[in-house]
Amino acid sequence: MSNLKQRTLDFLEIEWATYIKRFNRWPAEEGGKRVKAQGYEQFRDMLAHILTWWEEAMPIILAIAEERDYERKKYDFNRFNAEAVAKYKNWDEAEFLAHFEKTRRQAAADLRSMNEAAWENRRVRSWVNGVFIHHAREHLVALSRFLAVDTLENEWNTYVDNFNKLDDEKKKEFLSKQGVESFHDMLVHMIGWWDVGTHIVTGILNDPNFTWQDPDTDLFNEELIAKNKNIPDAEILEQFESKRQVLLRLVNEIPERAFADMNIEGWLAADVVGHYDEHNPADF
């Protein structure tokens, strides 16, 4: 079984299987705030968006796998997403949730039985990554241990390699967009924020009365780069990998109840998931 196949099945059978339950642990006000930050009026609308992309993707993925023709579209994403919400607007709540779950299970079953060679197809890989893996990070509203571990083991594990694959012009473009002069500075930025997040999460776990002061973001970033300016690149790379391993152990070892703590969940979601997509060189 290919790594991507197993990873995709894990997303469907772990991450997406618990997605609704994890969201529902938040108080209504907090949940509503998180959904609105995603650009949706209610959680159900976001589920409709996610569901409709699954329904769009699976026939295409299976057609490619079976070497059948399929309609190739140029998507107007705003229109598609609006139509997705409208499509399920009048469905009974219980029927809608049952359909979401049935679609998830069917997608997992179809992908499990899909021929192994199809997993090497570029279009299959793109669709699978987009609607089942990346979509989980994009629409993160309640971090799971699974998603945090997966992102650290996959996206962050290949972060340096993905940057090094860029040609010189793309590297310059990426660094300019990130507002740093060098990849050394980019890694220093990551390391510094991982240290802060690890310190706060550990502090909360060890002391219910633990308090902290959020850093001034711009000043903190400037001081990080200045403080580490003369450290050799090789040492920074070692630090980056060491801190990734520290964070991975932390996420694996903290009790499940920690993910229901809004402060712990918020710091981990930002440090592990949000920070990756904010600074992702693979998009270039």
Side-chain angles (χ1 to χ4, degrees), residues 47-240:
L47 290 178
H49 161 85
I50 292 164
L51 170 62
T52 304
W53 276 110
W54 292 352
E55 292 174 324
E56 181 74 9
M58 283 307 300
I60 294 172
I61 291 169
L62 295 176
I64 296 170
E66 296 163 9
E67 299 183 341
R68 293 185 281 105
D69 290 337
Y70 64 95
E71 181 184 1
R72 300 195 182 190
K73 303 176 184 177
K74 186 174 182 180
Y75 291 95
D76 179 330
F77 293 107
N78 290 333
R79 180 177 178 180
F80 182 94
N81 293 334
E83 290 175 348
V85 172
K87 176 181 177 181
Y88 289 108
K89 188 178 181 71
N90 296 320
W91 275 50
D92 172 78
E93 183 77 6
E95 289 182 4
F96 171 73
L97 293 175
H99 181 56
F100 183 92
E101 177 62 9
K102 180 180 178 182
T103 304
R104 181 191 68 79
R105 290 175 179 270
Q106 188 62 55
D110 289 342
L111 291 172
R112 186 178 294 280
S113 63
M114 188 168 73
N115 72 78
E116 294 294 325
W119 291 94
E120 301 304 317
N121 182 281
R122 180 179 59 84
R123 289 193 177 91
V124 168
R125 295 173 72 88
S126 178
W127 272 104
V128 161
N129 183 66
V131 300
F132 298 120
I133 298 175
H134 179 266
H135 235 185
R137 298 199 311 272
E138 182 181 357
H139 297 300
L140 168 58
V141 288
L143 182 66
S144 66
R145 190 192 309 274
F146 169 82
L147 184 59
V149 169
D150 179 87
T151 306
L152 284 162
E153 287 184 337
N154 290 280
E155 276 71 25
W156 285 116
N157 190 35
T158 58
Y159 188 79
V160 174
D161 287 344
N162 285 338
F163 175 79
N164 288 333
K165 288 175 184 177
L166 301 176
D167 61 35
D168 289 344
E169 283 303 311
K170 288 292 185 182
K171 286 178 180 176
K172 289 179 183 178
E173 182 183 349
F174 170 74
L175 295 173
S176 175
K177 184 177 180 181
Q178 301 302 317
V180 294
E181 294 182 2
S182 67
F183 192 54
H184 173 286
D185 293 348
M186 189 78 264
L187 294 181
V188 164
H189 170 82
M190 304 300 183
I191 292 166
W193 283 104
W194 284 354
D195 277 344
V196 171
T198 300
H199 169 71
I200 292 173
V201 169
T202 304
I204 296 170
L205 286 169
N206 292 336
D207 179 4
N209 299 314
F210 179 79
T211 60
W212 69 93
Q213 184 173 356
D214 291 340
D216 177 304
T217 302
D218 291 339
L219 179 61
F220 182 74
N221 290 337
E222 289 175 10
E223 290 177 344
L224 274 175
I225 291 171
K227 184 172 68 174
N228 293 277
K229 187 171 185 178
N230 295 322
I231 297 179
D233 289 352
E235 187 174 335
I236 292 297
L237 285 167
E238 288 179 6
Q239 285 187 31
F240 176 81

Side-chain angles (χ1 to χ4, degrees), residues 220-275:
F220 182 74
N221 290 337
E222 289 175 10
E223 290 177 344
L224 274 175
I225 291 171
K227 184 172 68 174
N228 293 277
K229 187 171 185 178
N230 295 322
I231 297 179
D233 289 352
E235 187 174 335
I236 292 297
L237 285 167
E238 288 179 6
Q239 285 187 31
F240 176 81
E241 176 57 18
S242 174
K243 300 295 183 182
R244 184 182 72 87
Q245 292 292 342
V246 167
L247 196 50
L248 183 57
R249 283 195 297 274
L250 175 67
V251 169
N252 268 315
E253 293 172 2
I254 60 177
E256 188 62 34
R257 61 177 172 77
F259 290 94
D261 182 297
M262 282 191 283
N263 289 312
I264 292 176
E265 188 268 354
W267 272 99
L268 289 177
D271 263 3
V272 176
V273 180
H275 228 181

